[in-house]
Structures are given as structure tokens and as C-alpha cells.
Amino acid sequence: MFIDTHAHLFYDNFQNDLDDVIKRAKENSIDYILVPSTDIETAKKSITLSEKYDFIYVAVGVHPHETKNWDKSILNELKQLSKHNKVVAIGEIGLDYYYDFSPKEKQIEAFKDQINLALELELPIIIHNRDSDSDMFEIISSYCSTGLKAQFHCFNASLDDAIDYIKMNHFISFTGNVTYKKSDELREILKAVDVNHLLLETDAPFMSPMPYRGKRNEPSYLINTVNIISELKNLSVESVGKITSLNAFRIFGIGKKPETSFTYQLGNSLYINVTNRCNADCIFCRRKTDPFISGYNLGMKKSEEPPADVYIREIGDPSKYDEIVFCGYGEPTLRWEVVKEVAEYVKKNGGKTRLNTNGHGNFINKRNIIPEMKGKIDTVSISLNSTDADQYSKLMRVDKDYFNGMINFAKESVNYVDKVIMTVVDIDDVEIPKAKQLVENEIKAEFRIRNYF
Ligand code: SF4
Ligand SMILES: [Zn+2]
Ligand SMILES: [Zn+2]
């Protein structure tokens, strides 16, 4: 059920009872363990462990503490070691200005060299960061458009940094220190970060959660951290396991990809995964590369798209949900006939419906579909994305005409559905006040800002 993404099982204090430690991990539902190394010697030890235990994976890298004598030849050794089939990341690497065991310049040089190696090998990185927030942020931001994937282990920077790293599509994990009495600030960050970017870790043998604080940490203690996450995120322990395990699969490729879900529940709303296809190709969209949400896999080929009765069967009694939402990572009006059939069923059986769309339904269906929403769709939520046709066309990679088409779709929808909502993504170069004014004053719809992802 759980993946401990950070346990240094190569340390001497595990050597006498490692089999028992592993046995306890298994008994406590730890499916996989990722062992990050700190230098070449521990990388080799970790690989040996991964050969003995099939559920152990490895990251190879040089920890900032060990970078005093960094030189480029070490990169070559890492590169050789990374060829082992159980190596799934470069780590742990980073900056540590708290202990300052190695000069800053050396730490930065080694960190950047290892990031470049990870990019060359198409591997994610595992980051250690202590008292080096501003240099860390500068370095990681400079790799923003490279496709770099990172885990910020034992997160201890600010909430703003956490949010920015998540916008860059990185992952965050907290150790047992979130269970400590004085860790209110960390718990606030944990509460605020998107669960789709959260991983689990112990950092064993360090950072034992309560009630083991001060003792040697081990993977079986992970449940104590999971319980806090479950409480703060208002999710069951099983959901925390499911979501974070899928997250570990997304970044490290550890574990199994779940089957495609045709419907998925978020809060008390049931979402209908109508299609994974879209007529647009937004620069910020994850539909092709990362079609996952809250532990669900929404990726599906056209040939796998189910007929209406499959959705209807999965919905059952629609009145038990707040809303039935036609959504998914794709444009639902591409399958407008299916949406209508399911929506009709929902309305007949006392449910509420919402359509999340890019507003291109009339272009897609080559006719005016707006009057067909009457009595079937209660709320329509349209992505505005921009107030400028040029920017819109660049963001969504569609023809400029689609901008006016979308605006007209929204204006006319007001006459056929109870509520029209228009949303913009909170990326910096979209002018939020202008968008708000357009939506509220001209279109007479409700305005909402939605998160980047
Ligand atoms: S309109 Fe929506 S589904 Fe289509 S590419 Fe843009 S973000 Fe993705
Ligand atoms: Zn660390
Ligand atoms: Zn560590």
C-alpha cells in the first residue's frame, strides 16, 4: 500500500537486523523502498541491497556533505552505476549550508553537474536542501523548461517555494518531523500542498516520527507520518497510500500503473472521464504526459472510450453525489452524444450535472450544441485562459477564431444553463483583473481562478 521513497538502509546501524527491519516493513504494508545513496561507496552498497530484495530500488548520487573533493570523474562512476536496472534516480544531491561540511562552491558545482547527468540519463533527482533555500530556488528555476523531475525530500523551505516547485511539476515529501509538537509550520505546508505532488518517506535511520523520536528510524514507522497526512488532508489512510504510490510511479516508475478509471470521485463529486482526446494542445496541459489525478489513471486511447451505459452503471444513484462532472484530461464535447445520454440519466434520477469544457463544442460538432444543454447540464465551466485572442491561440495552440467562438459559447450558454463559470489558470502572464471584468461584466458569468495543474 505504501512506498517509502527515502530510507538509507546501507547504514551500519541496520547491519545486524536488516532482515527483521525488512520483515517489519512488509508487515506494515510497505510495498517498495527506495534507498538513496550519499556517495559512490554507498551507491554500490545500495545496489547490492537491491539485488537481494526485489522491492528495493536505488538512487545513486553524491550528497552535498560529500562534495569537498568533487571532480568530474565522479560523474563517470555515477553514470556507470546508473546503468543497473534497479537505479531509478540520481540522489540524494543538493545543498546543505547548515552543516557546511563542503564549501558552497563545491556543493553548487556537484549539484549542477549531477542535475545535468540526470537530464542526460532521463532520470529524476532526489534533492536534499537545508538552509540553502534561495540558491536552491535559483538553480531549480533555471532548469524549469528542461523536463527535470525532482523530489524535495524532508521538505523544509517555505510554503511559497513549495507551491512554486509544484507548479514546476516537482514532488515534495515530509519525514517523521511533521509529527513533532513544534512542527506547526511544516504541517501548514503539508496541508496546503497538492496531494498529487506528495510522496512518502522515512529518511531512516534519521527523523523518527512520534512516538519513536530519538530512536533509530525504519520503514515500518512510516504509518505514523501517514496518519498525520491522512488527518490533515482529510483522506483515508488507504487513499493516502493509493495517491502517493501512484505519485512514486509517476516520478520513479516504481510499482504498477493503475487501470484506467472511467469515473473517479473527488470529494463528494463523481467525475466522468469522457475522453483523453482534445482538439486543443495547451502548453500547460498534462493530458498526454501525465494523465493522473488523486491516484486515478485517466489515460485512455480512443478505442478504449466506453459507451454511455458503462458510465451510467458506475454512477448508480446520482443523487448521492454533489455533482456529476463531465471532465477528464480531454474535451468532453468531442463525445457530445455520450455526454448528453449520461446527463439525461443523471437528471432523470435526481442528480446535478456540470460540464467542464474549453468552449469549442460548436467547432467540434460543426453545429450549435448550446440549446441541447437545456435541462441536461446544470452548470457549465469554461476555460477562458486569456482575454487576448493572440495569447489564447498561443497558449492553447489553436486558431485565433477559437477565442471568439469560446466567448460566444459562454455568452449564449447563460440562456440555457443555471450557471456559467469561466476560469483562468493562475500563471503570471495572464491578466487576472481584466479577465474578471470581462467575465463578470460582459459575459455575466461567474469568475474563478484555477490552479496551474
Ligand atoms: S483544452 Fe483542456 S484538455 Fe484540451 S489541451 Fe487544453 S487543458 Fe488540455
Ligand atoms: Zn537528506
Ligand atoms: Zn537522506
Side-chain angles (χ1 to χ4, degrees):
M1 187 157 54
F2 306 116
I3 300 183
D4 182 355
T5 61
H6 205 104
H8 300 287
L9 296 182
F10 51 75
Y11 275 112
D12 286 346
N13 54 356
F14 284 117
Q15 297 330 305
N16 293 333
D17 65 342
L18 188 60
D19 280 333
D20 292 335
V21 168
I22 296 285
K23 193 166 159 257
R24 283 193 292 273
K26 286 272 145 197
E27 284 164 2
N28 284 277
S29 307
I30 308 293
D31 295 331
Y32 301 97
I33 300 171
L34 174 51
V35 179
S37 48
T38 53
D39 57 14
I40 297 295
E41 193 197 324
T42 56
K44 288 178 183 161
K45 279 190 188 168
S46 304
I47 288 175
T48 306
L49 282 176
S50 78
E51 286 166 347
K52 184 167 174 204
Y53 302 100
D54 62 351
F55 48 86
I56 286 185
Y57 288 85
V58 179
V60 297
V62 178
H63 190 284
H65 288 342
E66 315 295 337
T67 52
K68 214 182 301 150
N69 301 316
W70 177 260
D71 75 78
K72 306 272 187 250
S73 67
I74 302 172
L75 276 176
N76 218 12
E77 286 186 78
L78 288 174
K79 200 169 169 176
Q80 292 311 315
L81 291 170
S82 74
K83 287 183 183 150
H84 194 280
N85 67 347
K86 298 297 278 299
V87 173
V88 295
I90 298 294
E92 62 179 288
I93 61 176
L95 305 173
D96 191 320
Y97 299 166
Y98 178 79
Y99 286 110
D100 239 350
F101 286 155
S102 305
K104 277 185 189 174
E105 309 72 52
K106 276 288 182 198
Q107 292 192 35
I108 292 173
E109 185 194 340
F111 185 37
K112 287 185 178 170
D113 283 348
Q114 292 181 93
I115 295 177
N116 292 333
L117 176 69
L119 286 172
E120 183 192 325
L121 300 169
E122 294 182 9
L123 287 174
I125 59 171
I126 298 169
I127 294 181
H128 173 102
N129 167 41
R130 194 153 181 208
D131 281 7
S132 48
D133 294 354
S134 113
D135 282 359
M136 179 58 70
F137 193 79
E138 200 186 310
I139 293 172
I140 293 303
S141 304
S142 74
Y143 285 92
C144 207
S145 52
T146 58
L148 179 73
K149 283 192 200 169
Q151 171 189 16
F152 287 83
H153 112 87
C154 194
F155 190 78
N156 62 8
S158 67
L159 173 59
D160 283 348
D161 282 3
I163 291 171
D164 283 335
Y165 289 139
I166 285 173
K167 282 185 183 175
M168 295 176 208
N169 217 6
H170 299 313
F171 292 80
I172 280 175
S173 54
F174 298 86
T175 61
N177 60 355
V178 282
T179 67
Y180 302 164
K181 221 174 168 180
K182 287 190 177 151
S183 295
D184 288 332
E185 214 175 299
L186 268 188
R187 281 188 288 271
E188 283 308 308
I189 298 175
L190 169 56
K191 221 165 143 179
V193 299
D194 179 359
V195 74
N196 291 298
H197 291 266
L198 212 56
L199 295 165
L200 301 178
E201 68 156 311
T202 53
D203 200 11
F206 315 108
M207 310 304 266
S208 295
M210 297 300 283
Y212 303 103
R213 193 171 180 180
K215 300 202 174 98
R216 181 192 71 177
N217 196 4
E218 61 172 66
S220 69
Y221 297 167
L222 187 65
I223 187 64
N224 299 280
T225 307
V226 172
N227 285 337
I228 291 277
I229 297 175
S230 147
E231 199 180 295
L232 292 176
K233 305 303 272 183
N234 203 10
L235 288 165
S236 66
V237 164
E238 290 73 25
S239 295
V240 173
K242 183 179 167 192
I243 297 169
T244 54
S245 293
L246 177 55
N247 295 345
F249 175 81
R250 286 164 57 206
I251 178 169
F252 300 120
I254 296 175
K256 279 193 265 3
K257 182 157 89 174
E259 297 279 303
T260 301
S261 296
F262 298 138
T263 59
Y264 56 105
Q265 189 170 348
L266 302 179
N268 195 38
S269 294
L270 190 73
Y271 286 71
I272 309 295
N273 179 15
V274 183
T275 180
N276 197 202
R277 295 176 290 132
C278 187
N279 64 301
D281 187 17
C282 298
I283 53 172
F284 50 80
C285 186
R286 291 198 322 216
R287 120 188 115 83
K288 291 186 228 163
T289 52
D290 196 21
F292 304 102
I293 189 159
S294 293
Y296 295 99
N297 173 10
L298 306 186
M300 64 180 160
K301 294 192 198 105
K302 187 170 186 246
S303 58
E304 293 165 342
E305 292 172 348
D309 59 311
V310 170
Y311 297 119
I312 289 170
R313 217 176 310 130
E314 290 195 16
I315 294 168
D317 174 8
S319 66
K320 61 180 194 231
Y321 300 105
D322 293 344
E323 275 182 317
I324 303 296
V325 187
F326 298 94
C327 187
Y329 275 122
E331 172 48 36
T333 59
L334 278 166
R335 301 185 73 213
W336 183 231
E337 297 308 318
V338 170
V339 171
K340 278 196 296 183
E341 199 180 329
V342 178
E344 203 169 318
Y345 165 82
V346 173
K347 293 306 297 170
K348 267 194 193 142
N349 290 278
K352 281 202 162 53
T353 55
R354 171 155 57 104
L355 170 68
N356 287 359
T357 174
N358 60 16
H360 301 168
N362 288 353
F363 288 105
I364 292 167
N365 292 282
K366 298 190 177 66
R367 66 169 197 276
N368 184 7
I369 63 165
I370 301 167
E372 297 166 29
M373 290 198 282
K374 196 172 169 66
K376 296 192 183 73
I377 302 292
D378 295 307
T379 303
V380 56
S381 175
I382 303 168
S383 325
L384 172 65
N385 289 332
S386 171
T387 55
D388 173 79
D390 274 333
Q391 191 188 37
Y392 184 82
S393 133
K394 277 186 200 131
L395 272 176
M396 299 186 76
R397 293 189 275 227
V398 289
D399 202 86
K400 263 194 256 173
D401 294 349
Y402 281 72
F403 179 73
N404 281 335
M406 173 272 300
I407 296 285
N408 291 335
F409 191 94
K411 280 185 180 162
E412 202 181 330
S413 293
V414 174
N415 303 321
Y416 293 96
V417 301
D418 294 345
K419 198 195 266 185
V420 178
I421 300 166
M422 299 201 76
T423 62
V424 292
V425 181
D426 62 345
I427 40 179
D428 298 338
D429 54 351
V430 178
E431 300 160 59
I432 306 267
K434 214 168 146 193
K436 188 169 169 5
Q437 147 111 12
L438 170 76
V439 171
E440 289 175 353
N441 300 350
E442 259 186 65
I443 302 172
K444 311 263 183 260
E446 200 177 303
F447 178 71
R448 274 190 209 163
I449 298 172
R450 67 178 199 275
N451 287 335
Y452 187 44
F453 293 108

mmCIF file of all heavy atoms in Angstrom, residues 19 27 47 67 76 94 108-109 133 155 176 217 221 226 233 246 268 296-297 324 344 364 366-367 376 387 414:
data_model
loop_
_atom_site.group_PDB
_atom_site.id
_atom_site.type_symbol
_atom_site.label_atom_id
_atom_site.label_comp_id
_atom_site.label_asym_id
_atom_site.label_seq_id
_atom_site.Cartn_x
_atom_site.Cartn_y
_atom_site.Cartn_z
ATOM 1 N N ASP A 19 17.213 -7.993 8.107
ATOM 2 C CA ASP A 19 16.109 -8.892 7.729
ATOM 3 C C ASP A 19 14.859 -8.621 8.563
ATOM 4 O O ASP A 19 13.746 -8.640 8.049
ATOM 5 C CB ASP A 19 16.528 -10.366 7.861
ATOM 6 C CG ASP A 19 17.352 -10.800 6.644
ATOM 7 O OD1 ASP A 19 17.157 -10.208 5.563
ATOM 8 O OD2 ASP A 19 18.199 -11.701 6.797
ATOM 9 N N GLU A 27 5.289 -6.243 6.968
ATOM 10 C CA GLU A 27 4.106 -6.414 7.836
ATOM 11 C C GLU A 27 3.307 -5.118 7.957
ATOM 12 O O GLU A 27 2.133 -5.122 8.292
ATOM 13 C CB GLU A 27 4.537 -6.853 9.251
ATOM 14 C CG GLU A 27 4.929 -8.315 9.312
ATOM 15 C CD GLU A 27 5.714 -8.664 10.578
ATOM 16 O OE1 GLU A 27 5.932 -7.765 11.434
ATOM 17 O OE2 GLU A 27 6.129 -9.824 10.692
ATOM 18 N N ILE A 47 23.038 -0.796 -4.280
ATOM 19 C CA ILE A 47 22.747 -1.665 -5.433
ATOM 20 C C ILE A 47 22.782 -3.135 -4.989
ATOM 21 O O ILE A 47 21.928 -3.939 -5.372
ATOM 22 C CB ILE A 47 23.731 -1.373 -6.587
ATOM 23 C CG1 ILE A 47 23.372 -0.012 -7.212
ATOM 24 C CG2 ILE A 47 23.687 -2.477 -7.640
ATOM 25 C CD1 ILE A 47 24.316 0.492 -8.280
ATOM 26 N N THR A 67 30.839 16.545 -1.010
ATOM 27 C CA THR A 67 31.286 17.128 -2.284
ATOM 28 C C THR A 67 32.614 17.896 -2.190
ATOM 29 O O THR A 67 33.036 18.514 -3.162
ATOM 30 C CB THR A 67 30.204 18.090 -2.847
ATOM 31 O OG1 THR A 67 29.849 19.023 -1.839
ATOM 32 C CG2 THR A 67 28.980 17.328 -3.302
ATOM 33 N N ASN A 76 31.381 10.096 -14.077
ATOM 34 C CA ASN A 76 31.501 8.899 -14.898
ATOM 35 C C ASN A 76 31.158 7.638 -14.105
ATOM 36 O O ASN A 76 30.466 6.745 -14.603
ATOM 37 C CB ASN A 76 32.914 8.818 -15.454
ATOM 38 C CG ASN A 76 32.877 8.291 -16.868
ATOM 39 O OD1 ASN A 76 31.795 8.201 -17.475
ATOM 40 N ND2 ASN A 76 34.028 7.909 -17.377
ATOM 41 N N GLY A 94 22.206 17.912 -3.697
ATOM 42 C CA GLY A 94 21.607 19.186 -3.284
ATOM 43 C C GLY A 94 22.579 20.115 -2.609
ATOM 44 O O GLY A 94 23.777 20.146 -2.920
ATOM 45 N N ILE A 108 27.583 23.536 -5.029
ATOM 46 C CA ILE A 108 26.802 24.002 -6.189
ATOM 47 C C ILE A 108 27.292 23.320 -7.468
ATOM 48 O O ILE A 108 26.489 22.852 -8.287
ATOM 49 C CB ILE A 108 26.881 25.547 -6.312
ATOM 50 C CG1 ILE A 108 26.129 26.176 -5.133
ATOM 51 C CG2 ILE A 108 26.312 26.027 -7.640
ATOM 52 C CD1 ILE A 108 26.254 27.679 -5.027
ATOM 53 N N GLU A 109 28.615 23.226 -7.591
ATOM 54 C CA GLU A 109 29.186 22.608 -8.800
ATOM 55 C C GLU A 109 28.720 21.145 -8.915
ATOM 56 O O GLU A 109 28.220 20.710 -9.962
ATOM 57 C CB GLU A 109 30.720 22.676 -8.731
ATOM 58 C CG GLU A 109 31.404 22.177 -9.991
ATOM 59 C CD GLU A 109 32.897 21.937 -9.785
ATOM 60 O OE1 GLU A 109 33.486 22.485 -8.827
ATOM 61 O OE2 GLU A 109 33.472 21.164 -10.585
ATOM 62 N N ASP A 133 17.798 27.779 0.819
ATOM 63 C CA ASP A 133 16.576 27.947 0.021
ATOM 64 C C ASP A 133 16.748 28.836 -1.205
ATOM 65 O O ASP A 133 16.251 28.513 -2.276
ATOM 66 C CB ASP A 133 15.449 28.538 0.885
ATOM 67 C CG ASP A 133 15.021 27.587 1.974
ATOM 68 O OD1 ASP A 133 15.518 26.446 1.980
ATOM 69 O OD2 ASP A 133 14.203 27.979 2.814
ATOM 70 N N PHE A 155 11.161 18.057 3.235
ATOM 71 C CA PHE A 155 10.937 19.444 2.827
ATOM 72 C C PHE A 155 11.029 20.386 4.022
ATOM 73 O O PHE A 155 10.411 20.160 5.051
ATOM 74 C CB PHE A 155 9.563 19.589 2.154
ATOM 75 C CG PHE A 155 9.408 20.931 1.504
ATOM 76 C CD1 PHE A 155 10.010 21.168 0.274
ATOM 77 C CD2 PHE A 155 8.720 21.959 2.128
ATOM 78 C CE1 PHE A 155 9.910 22.420 -0.325
ATOM 79 C CE2 PHE A 155 8.622 23.210 1.527
ATOM 80 C CZ PHE A 155 9.216 23.438 0.304
ATOM 81 N N GLY A 176 9.336 12.085 9.418
ATOM 82 C CA GLY A 176 8.650 11.982 10.706
ATOM 83 C C GLY A 176 8.572 13.308 11.449
ATOM 84 O O GLY A 176 7.814 13.439 12.413
ATOM 85 N N ASN A 217 15.213 5.246 13.157
ATOM 86 C CA ASN A 217 14.001 5.181 12.336
ATOM 87 C C ASN A 217 14.078 3.981 11.392
ATOM 88 O O ASN A 217 15.178 3.534 11.042
ATOM 89 C CB ASN A 217 13.885 6.476 11.518
ATOM 90 C CG ASN A 217 12.488 6.698 10.941
ATOM 91 O OD1 ASN A 217 11.569 5.929 11.192
ATOM 92 N ND2 ASN A 217 12.346 7.758 10.172
ATOM 93 N N TYR A 221 7.932 2.425 10.450
ATOM 94 C CA TYR A 221 7.373 3.549 11.220
ATOM 95 C C TYR A 221 6.638 4.546 10.328
ATOM 96 O O TYR A 221 6.074 5.529 10.810
ATOM 97 C CB TYR A 221 8.471 4.310 11.975
ATOM 98 C CG TYR A 221 9.202 3.517 13.031
ATOM 99 C CD1 TYR A 221 10.381 3.999 13.598
ATOM 100 C CD2 TYR A 221 8.723 2.292 13.478
ATOM 101 C CE1 TYR A 221 11.063 3.282 14.563
ATOM 102 C CE2 TYR A 221 9.410 1.568 14.446
ATOM 103 C CZ TYR A 221 10.579 2.064 14.986
ATOM 104 O OH TYR A 221 11.250 1.367 15.942
ATOM 105 N N VAL A 226 2.029 8.783 7.865
ATOM 106 C CA VAL A 226 0.835 8.652 7.020
ATOM 107 C C VAL A 226 -0.420 9.084 7.790
ATOM 108 O O VAL A 226 -1.287 9.763 7.244
ATOM 109 C CB VAL A 226 0.681 7.191 6.515
ATOM 110 C CG1 VAL A 226 -0.658 6.997 5.812
ATOM 111 C CG2 VAL A 226 1.821 6.818 5.593
ATOM 112 N N LYS A 233 -5.054 16.043 5.394
ATOM 113 C CA LYS A 233 -5.591 16.136 4.037
ATOM 114 C C LYS A 233 -7.031 15.616 3.951
ATOM 115 O O LYS A 233 -7.598 15.571 2.863
ATOM 116 C CB LYS A 233 -4.724 15.338 3.036
ATOM 117 C CG LYS A 233 -3.259 15.694 2.991
ATOM 118 C CD LYS A 233 -2.998 17.133 2.688
ATOM 119 C CE LYS A 233 -2.912 17.490 1.263
ATOM 120 N NZ LYS A 233 -2.589 18.923 1.067
ATOM 121 N N LEU A 246 0.922 6.087 -6.566
ATOM 122 C CA LEU A 246 0.859 6.470 -7.977
ATOM 123 C C LEU A 246 1.849 7.610 -8.249
ATOM 124 O O LEU A 246 2.508 7.641 -9.288
ATOM 125 C CB LEU A 246 -0.564 6.869 -8.381
ATOM 126 C CG LEU A 246 -0.743 7.353 -9.824
ATOM 127 C CD1 LEU A 246 -0.225 6.335 -10.838
ATOM 128 C CD2 LEU A 246 -2.196 7.662 -10.138
ATOM 129 N N ASN A 268 -17.087 14.904 -2.745
ATOM 130 C CA ASN A 268 -18.343 14.178 -2.915
ATOM 131 C C ASN A 268 -18.913 14.346 -4.328
ATOM 132 O O ASN A 268 -20.111 14.238 -4.534
ATOM 133 C CB ASN A 268 -19.365 14.612 -1.853
ATOM 134 C CG ASN A 268 -20.508 13.619 -1.779
ATOM 135 O OD1 ASN A 268 -20.301 12.407 -1.889
ATOM 136 N ND2 ASN A 268 -21.727 14.118 -1.663
ATOM 137 N N TYR A 296 -5.836 8.118 -9.558
ATOM 138 C CA TYR A 296 -6.563 7.556 -10.698
ATOM 139 C C TYR A 296 -5.759 7.747 -11.984
ATOM 140 O O TYR A 296 -5.135 8.785 -12.181
ATOM 141 C CB TYR A 296 -7.910 8.254 -10.906
ATOM 142 C CG TYR A 296 -8.896 8.061 -9.778
ATOM 143 C CD1 TYR A 296 -9.062 9.056 -8.813
ATOM 144 C CD2 TYR A 296 -9.679 6.913 -9.699
ATOM 145 C CE1 TYR A 296 -9.988 8.902 -7.782
ATOM 146 C CE2 TYR A 296 -10.602 6.761 -8.672
ATOM 147 C CZ TYR A 296 -10.749 7.756 -7.718
ATOM 148 O OH TYR A 296 -11.660 7.605 -6.707
ATOM 149 N N ASN A 297 -5.855 6.765 -12.866
ATOM 150 C CA ASN A 297 -5.240 6.859 -14.188
ATOM 151 C C ASN A 297 -6.338 7.211 -15.197
ATOM 152 O O ASN A 297 -7.267 6.442 -15.401
ATOM 153 C CB ASN A 297 -4.603 5.499 -14.527
ATOM 154 C CG ASN A 297 -4.079 5.446 -15.948
ATOM 155 O OD1 ASN A 297 -4.013 6.477 -16.635
ATOM 156 N ND2 ASN A 297 -3.704 4.252 -16.389
ATOM 157 N N ILE A 324 -22.366 15.413 -10.799
ATOM 158 C CA ILE A 324 -21.712 14.501 -11.742
ATOM 159 C C ILE A 324 -21.026 15.430 -12.750
ATOM 160 O O ILE A 324 -21.678 16.248 -13.405
ATOM 161 C CB ILE A 324 -22.736 13.598 -12.467
ATOM 162 C CG1 ILE A 324 -23.586 12.799 -11.458
ATOM 163 C CG2 ILE A 324 -22.030 12.692 -13.472
ATOM 164 C CD1 ILE A 324 -22.837 11.801 -10.598
ATOM 165 N N GLU A 344 -28.671 12.991 -19.283
ATOM 166 C CA GLU A 344 -30.118 12.775 -19.231
ATOM 167 C C GLU A 344 -30.474 11.779 -18.124
ATOM 168 O O GLU A 344 -31.408 11.987 -17.353
ATOM 169 C CB GLU A 344 -30.576 12.242 -20.590
ATOM 170 C CG GLU A 344 -32.034 12.502 -20.846
ATOM 171 C CD GLU A 344 -32.384 12.201 -22.297
ATOM 172 O OE1 GLU A 344 -31.599 12.563 -23.196
ATOM 173 O OE2 GLU A 344 -33.426 11.576 -22.513
ATOM 174 N N ILE A 364 -16.249 21.770 -32.787
ATOM 175 C CA ILE A 364 -16.006 20.324 -32.805
ATOM 176 C C ILE A 364 -17.171 19.582 -33.473
ATOM 177 O O ILE A 364 -16.977 18.698 -34.301
ATOM 178 C CB ILE A 364 -15.773 19.798 -31.363
ATOM 179 C CG1 ILE A 364 -14.446 20.346 -30.808
ATOM 180 C CG2 ILE A 364 -15.795 18.277 -31.295
ATOM 181 C CD1 ILE A 364 -14.241 20.162 -29.314
ATOM 182 N N LYS A 366 -19.550 20.936 -35.299
ATOM 183 C CA LYS A 366 -19.964 21.614 -36.543
ATOM 184 C C LYS A 366 -21.442 22.006 -36.547
ATOM 185 O O LYS A 366 -22.121 21.963 -37.567
ATOM 186 C CB LYS A 366 -19.642 20.730 -37.773
ATOM 187 C CG LYS A 366 -18.148 20.447 -37.922
ATOM 188 C CD LYS A 366 -17.852 19.789 -39.262
ATOM 189 C CE LYS A 366 -16.381 19.567 -39.469
ATOM 190 N NZ LYS A 366 -15.731 18.618 -38.570
ATOM 191 N N ARG A 367 -21.963 22.351 -35.358
ATOM 192 C CA ARG A 367 -23.330 22.894 -35.235
ATOM 193 C C ARG A 367 -23.445 23.565 -33.864
ATOM 194 O O ARG A 367 -22.536 23.423 -33.018
ATOM 195 C CB ARG A 367 -24.376 21.790 -35.381
ATOM 196 C CG ARG A 367 -24.372 20.757 -34.261
ATOM 197 C CD ARG A 367 -25.615 19.855 -34.326
ATOM 198 N NE ARG A 367 -25.821 19.163 -33.076
ATOM 199 C CZ ARG A 367 -25.217 18.033 -32.724
ATOM 200 N NH1 ARG A 367 -24.355 17.447 -33.542
ATOM 201 N NH2 ARG A 367 -25.473 17.464 -31.552
ATOM 202 N N LYS A 376 -30.331 19.357 -19.345
ATOM 203 C CA LYS A 376 -29.378 18.244 -19.140
ATOM 204 C C LYS A 376 -28.160 18.692 -18.335
ATOM 205 O O LYS A 376 -27.655 17.961 -17.496
ATOM 206 C CB LYS A 376 -28.907 17.694 -20.493
ATOM 207 C CG LYS A 376 -30.019 17.062 -21.317
ATOM 208 C CD LYS A 376 -29.439 16.295 -22.495
ATOM 209 C CE LYS A 376 -30.542 15.714 -23.359
ATOM 210 N NZ LYS A 376 -31.270 16.711 -24.161
ATOM 211 N N THR A 387 -7.561 36.826 -22.056
ATOM 212 C CA THR A 387 -8.535 37.797 -22.580
ATOM 213 C C THR A 387 -8.104 38.286 -23.958
ATOM 214 O O THR A 387 -8.709 39.163 -24.534
ATOM 215 C CB THR A 387 -8.636 39.017 -21.640
ATOM 216 O OG1 THR A 387 -7.316 39.540 -21.477
ATOM 217 C CG2 THR A 387 -9.226 38.642 -20.307
ATOM 218 N N VAL A 414 -25.375 31.157 -21.080
ATOM 219 C CA VAL A 414 -26.087 31.801 -19.971
ATOM 220 C C VAL A 414 -27.609 31.632 -20.140
ATOM 221 O O VAL A 414 -28.343 31.523 -19.156
ATOM 222 C CB VAL A 414 -25.684 33.308 -19.903
ATOM 223 C CG1 VAL A 414 -26.500 34.056 -18.863
ATOM 224 C CG2 VAL A 414 -24.198 33.444 -19.635
#
